Amino acid sequence: MTTLIYLAAFIIIALAIFYILGYGYLFNGISKTYLRGKMSANIDDGKFFSANLIATESPVLWEEDPDYNTKELPENITDNLTLSDTASFIVIKDGKLLHEQYWKGYHALSATNSFSMAKAVTVMLLGKAMEEGKVKSIDDPFSDYFEEFKNKKFAEQLTLRNLAQMESGLDWDEDYKNPFLPNARAYYGRSLMKATFSRKFKQNPGESFEYQSGSTQLLGFAVRKAVRQSLASYLSEKF
């Protein structure tokens, strides 16, 4: 009985320490990965998170090419797709659907996570906001939208261009496996803004390119503030 009490006390103290140190998100991550037989985030995670619908009043299907699905993919390509755990592969030629193929039970109506495809869409939304005059310039200082960055080392000169081009100088290790690094905190934590705004900068913006989800997240917050609505609703209206 005494042993169980000590064990329970140890677990409670350990949990408290994790939360105090800011690692409480790990328990959410574990429930969505390891306990489901996964090693990291995957394309079927969407159902575990809240979401904003991106709708369209008049969807247009891809026009099929006359040679649609008449040829099989070369064996070396299918081998690579299978090895990379691909769910779907689509070929568009001259604006028409030439080939589509699915694996592992996925099909044309499967809904999966978009992941980094959203990076390009976020930059497209920046362009639309500029076109509408809601963002004055791609060279707007990020601190025009969030004043606290004026007092952040290396971030005083950060611009929307730096974020869009991933030359922000943000201290963000783009690692998808390590649960203690920024991507996991942003993905499984309760506040995406807190996860990104808490990061420091390691060098001046514009000095070098580094692929980072954090840079796009910061850009998205600026665009959202400029258009005064969620990115999902803005995308639904404008694209």
Side-chain angles (χ1 to χ4, degrees):
M1 186 68 176
T2 303
T3 302
L4 291 177
I5 293 175
Y6 279 124
L7 179 60
F10 173 78
I11 292 175
I12 292 172
I13 292 172
L15 291 175
I17 291 174
F18 264 84
Y19 277 102
I20 291 172
L21 295 177
Y23 293 114
Y25 67 89
L26 288 175
F27 301 106
N28 185 34
I30 290 171
S31 70
K32 291 179 171 59
T33 54
Y34 304 141
L35 296 184
R36 298 180 183 276
K38 306 291 184 179
M39 294 305 295
S40 66
N42 64 90
I43 62 173
D44 295 316
D45 282 347
K47 56 182 175 290
F48 302 129
F49 295 89
S50 59
N52 294 320
L53 179 66
I54 298 173
T56 177
E57 293 183 357
S58 53
V60 179
L61 299 178
W62 284 103
E63 180 182 351
E64 292 183 0
D65 188 273
D67 291 327
Y68 169 72
N69 273 11
T70 58
K71 299 179 181 179
E72 293 186 0
L73 294 175
E75 186 176 347
N76 65 315
I77 293 180
T78 56
D79 287 346
N80 284 334
L81 292 172
T82 301
L83 185 64
S84 61
D85 207 26
T86 297
S88 63
F89 184 75
I90 294 176
V91 178
I92 305 294
K93 182 181 179 182
D94 298 329
K96 296 181 180 181
L97 182 60
L98 178 63
H99 184 90
E100 63 177 322
Q101 192 168 343
Y102 304 89
W103 291 264
K104 297 181 175 294
Y106 294 95
H107 51 82
L109 298 180
S110 296
T112 63
N113 289 8
S114 65
F115 285 117
S116 291
M117 180 273 287
K119 289 183 172 69
V121 176
T122 302
V123 177
M124 289 164 60
L125 292 176
L126 168 64
K128 188 63 179 179
M130 291 170 55
E131 181 183 281
E132 295 189 323
K134 294 178 179 179
V135 169
K136 294 179 182 178
S137 168
I138 194 172
D139 292 311
D140 278 356
F142 185 71
S143 58
D144 284 359
Y145 300 87
F146 299 98
E147 287 191 3
E148 58 265 43
F149 280 77
K150 289 181 179 179
N151 303 315
K152 212 165 192 177
K153 186 178 181 181
F154 296 126
E156 310 95 328
Q157 304 302 318
L158 178 66
T159 67
L160 301 186
R161 181 191 297 273
N162 297 143
L163 294 170
Q165 295 181 169
M166 294 197 183
E167 299 173 345
S168 66
L170 183 66
D171 186 7
W172 186 286
D173 189 341
E174 191 73 8
D175 187 298
Y176 304 106
K177 299 290 186 181
N178 191 327
F180 296 98
L181 292 179
N183 273 348
R185 185 186 299 273
Y187 196 73
Y188 298 112
R190 293 184 177 182
S191 173
L192 181 56
M193 178 172 278
K194 183 178 179 180
T196 50
F197 277 45
S198 63
R199 300 301 302 175
K200 295 180 180 180
F201 288 73
K202 58 186 179 182
Q203 64 187 55
N204 287 315
E207 291 185 350
S208 62
F209 169 86
E210 186 175 355
Y211 184 86
Q212 297 175 327
S213 296
S215 291
T216 306
Q217 299 293 359
L218 290 175
L219 177 64
F221 286 127
V223 174
R224 184 179 72 177
K225 195 165 188 177
V227 301
R228 298 183 179 181
Q229 63 187 112
S230 72
L231 298 188
S233 63
Y234 192 55
L235 180 62
S236 295
E237 290 177 10
K238 305 301 178 180
F239 288 80

